Amino acid sequence: MCKCFCVIIALFVASVSFAQEEPSPQESQDTLIEQQEEKKEIKRVEKMPEFPGGNRELLKFIKQNIIYPKEAAQQGHTGTVIIQFVVNQEGKVRNPEVLKSSSCPALDQAAIDVIRNLPDFTPGMQDGKNVSVYYRVPIVFDLEKPKKTLFKRR
């Protein structure tokens, strides 16, 4: 009888110490909407995220900071890797992933590594608010001589 009573008291104390006040249905709904809006990434917005200096500087940064893996170069691997990532509400690059592989895992990883090291962007905007936006960048791995310009001038 005494053991049973002690167990009941212990269960009661445990349940009271972990009990929380239930939020009202409206508070719960508002919190859920806020959490969904924070996690929502948009593909098209009024103002896309911008790399400091624009797209030319983005490509220049990638070109200057990409590390061609030695084993891939020695085996003659080339190709284009398309990376998708999120530029979040603060302009930080998050969640880079390979959308199109070069068929060489070392090149794919090198592309992800250079994207992870990008400096902050100016965030994208929708309805006057900073929003998280998907961004895609093709990265070309080519063993030929580097070209003198990034773009052809018209």
Side-chain angles (χ1 to χ4, degrees), residues 41-58:
E41 288 92 12
I42 302 172
K43 292 183 180 179
R44 296 192 184 257
V45 291
E46 293 169 0
K47 182 178 180 270
M48 285 295 288
E50 188 173 322
F51 187 81
N55 284 335
R56 273 183 187 257
E57 290 299 314
L58 172 60

Side-chain angles (χ1 to χ4, degrees), residues 41-44 48-52 54-56 58-59 62 82-88 93-97 99 115 118 121-122 124 132-138:
E41 288 92 12
I42 302 172
K43 292 183 180 179
R44 296 192 184 257
M48 285 295 288
E50 188 173 322
F51 187 81
N55 284 335
R56 273 183 187 257
L58 172 60
L59 295 176
I62 291 171
I82 298 177
I83 300 290
Q84 175 175 278
F85 54 94
V86 174
V87 177
N88 71 11
V93 171
R94 298 287 183 245
N95 307 325
E97 62 180 340
L99 281 187
I115 295 299
L118 288 173
F121 282 62
T122 301
S132 296
V133 181
Y134 282 108
Y135 203 97
R136 292 181 183 174
V137 175

